[in-house]
Amino acid sequence: MNRLLTHLRHVDLAVPDFEKQLDFYSGVWGLTETASDDGISFLAAEGSPEQYVVRLRRAEEKRLDLVSYGAATPADVDTIAEQLLSQGVELITRPGSVDTPGGGYGFRFFDCDGRTIEVSADVAARQHRRIEEKESVPVRLSHVVLNSPDLDRTRLWYERHLGFRLSDTLSSPHMGEVMHFMRISNQHHSMALAKGPHTSLHHISFELRGLDEYMYGTGRLLRAGVRKIWGPGRHLAGNNTFSYFLDPHGNTVEYTTELESLDEDTWHPHVYDFSQPEVTDQWGTANPMSEIVAKESFNDVDRGVFVAPPV
């Protein structure tokens, strides 16, 4: 499969307590509401040309609504749709105009775990700005991590159908492989797949301007009483910093910076033993990875996920 995806655009969440979630993301988390409708809010990162990086939708039940990726041209969108159809992937919509801020041309389909995925092109760029020194708000969306009960099946699906490539894997002697870091550019990962007991959102990660801004942001959240799960620290796979917090509905959200850029011509995936403390945190500053931390990242069962047919 040729790589036709360019980047991660946005992650869309259904939330039972809409006002509380909107207050969190547009307040202490540092996103900006740029558009809204009845029970829907579009939230942008100040440094990003994307129209929005998170969409919140009022709903009775919490769920992951959608993960959206960009393509370079409408022709690439059509090519992806044709390839998915020929491979038996179920499309939710056919390529056409996108009715969200910025417009564009795109379509939606189900992945092998039943998640809704969107691919779009020609979305109008948002007027954004340079993030200043010591300004600790997200610059852009960094990556999304998804829980899957069948890790290798999901990895192979994304490689075969969407051109993702494996960057690195986390494993342990007792649990085997537990996470695959997947890329669509020289960025170490725009998506990772985690082994979980059920299909759900693991976490959404937001990139800050630099190390100082990442620490200022981490401190601001701590002072505001937001529940920290893990961090601050620096992972080995991806070499990025991490501070994980819970949003008001128990979704894990991350502040990060300095995610590794790879030389794709020479890169070979590593298998890291995450039972070694320097793998999960090179600095040794984060609280130890524990069953409690892991359980939080499993999140609730996503009951809204469509049960897709076998690959």
Side-chain angles (χ1 to χ4, degrees), residues 36 44 67 108 115 120 135 164 180 184 187 284-285 290 311:
S36 63
V67 179
R108 295 176 179 179
R115 295 181 193 84
S120 61
E135 190 179 3
F164 278 83
H180 293 312
I184 48 174
Q187 181 180 311
T285 52
S290 66
V311 177

Side-chain angles (χ1 to χ4, degrees), residues 208-217 233-234 241 257-258 283:
L208 276 79
R209 181 182 186 271
L211 202 55
D212 259 13
E213 291 74 21
Y214 152 79
M215 288 303 293
Y216 278 120
R234 185 186 286 277
T241 61
T257 195
E258 299 183 348
W283 288 342

Side-chain angles (χ1 to χ4, degrees), residues 7-301:
H7 66 291
L8 178 65
R9 284 198 187 279
H10 53 87
V11 178
D12 299 3
L13 302 173
V15 294
D17 195 333
F18 179 78
E19 285 76 17
K20 186 180 287 187
Q21 286 285 69
L22 180 56
D23 285 348
F24 172 80
Y25 282 102
S26 65
V28 68
W29 196 253
L31 300 181
T32 302
E33 185 179 46
T34 55
S36 63
D37 202 344
D38 184 29
I40 293 179
S41 174
F42 300 91
L43 297 151
E46 281 293 320
S48 170
E50 291 298 324
Q51 292 287 333
Y52 58 101
V53 294
V54 171
R55 188 197 76 179
L56 300 178
R57 178 179 65 87
R58 188 193 309 274
E60 291 185 7
E61 201 162 38
K62 163 185 167 183
R63 62 167 285 178
L64 172 63
D65 270 346
L66 176 75
V67 179
S68 177
Y69 291 94
T73 66
D76 287 347
V77 171
D78 285 335
T79 299
I80 295 168
E82 290 162 8
Q83 290 176 345
L84 292 174
L85 276 172
S86 71
Q87 294 159 350
V89 174
E90 182 171 356
L91 302 192
I92 302 170
T93 60
R94 297 296 176 101
S97 60
V98 176
D99 187 23
T100 46
Y105 181 81
F107 73 106
R108 295 176 179 179
F109 54 97
F110 293 116
D111 76 1
C112 62
D113 290 326
R115 295 181 193 84
T116 300
I117 308 296
E118 179 184 81
V119 173
S120 61
D122 275 6
V123 178
R126 173 181 170 269
Q127 187 172 358
H128 55 293
R129 63 179 179 82
R130 176 189 173 95
I131 302 299
E132 300 299 331
E133 193 174 335
K134 296 188 179 180
E135 190 179 3
S136 56
V137 299
V139 176
R140 65 179 64 88
L141 192 61
S142 174
H143 57 271
V144 63
V145 180
L146 306 170
N147 287 315
S148 174
D150 192 335
L151 193 61
D152 286 330
R153 174 177 182 258
T154 306
R155 171 198 158 186
L156 291 171
W157 191 93
Y158 274 90
E159 289 176 337
R160 176 187 175 196
H161 297 298
L162 293 175
F164 278 83
R165 296 177 68 182
L166 178 68
S167 293
D168 285 318
T169 293
L170 297 184
S171 184
S172 84
H174 306 295
M175 299 177 64
E177 295 182 344
V178 297
M179 187 172 285
H180 293 312
F181 297 91
M182 311 292 292
R183 70 183 188 275
I184 48 174
S185 68
N186 68 344
Q187 181 180 311
H188 183 272
H189 59 286
S190 60
M191 175 184 71
L193 301 170
K195 185 176 183 178
H198 47 253
T199 298
S200 60
L201 174 67
H202 187 287
H203 74 265
I204 310 169
S205 181
F206 300 80
E207 182 179 329
L208 276 79
R209 181 182 186 271
L211 202 55
D212 259 13
E213 291 74 21
Y214 152 79
M215 288 303 293
Y216 278 120
T218 298
R220 184 183 68 251
L221 290 159
L222 291 173
R223 285 171 174 163
V226 179
R227 186 177 166 203
K228 178 175 70 72
I229 298 301
W230 194 27
R234 185 186 286 277
H235 295 313
L236 183 56
N239 197 38
N240 55 308
T241 61
F242 66 90
S243 294
Y244 296 93
F245 294 87
L246 289 183
D247 79 7
H249 283 328
N251 295 306
T252 301
V253 284
E254 178 188 27
Y255 273 175
T256 192
T257 195
E258 299 183 348
L259 182 65
E260 187 171 8
S261 295
L262 311 181
D263 179 347
E264 292 196 89
D265 291 333
T266 60
W267 185 261
H268 294 284
H270 308 81
V271 178
Y272 292 118
D273 180 356
F274 82 96
S275 67
Q276 303 298 315
E278 64 273 13
V279 169
T280 52
D281 177 23
Q282 296 181 71
W283 288 342
T285 52
N287 47 310
M289 169 53 77
S290 66
E291 288 185 15
I292 295 171
V293 173
K295 188 176 180 182
E296 292 287 5
S297 65
F298 289 154
N299 213 330
D300 302 318
V301 175

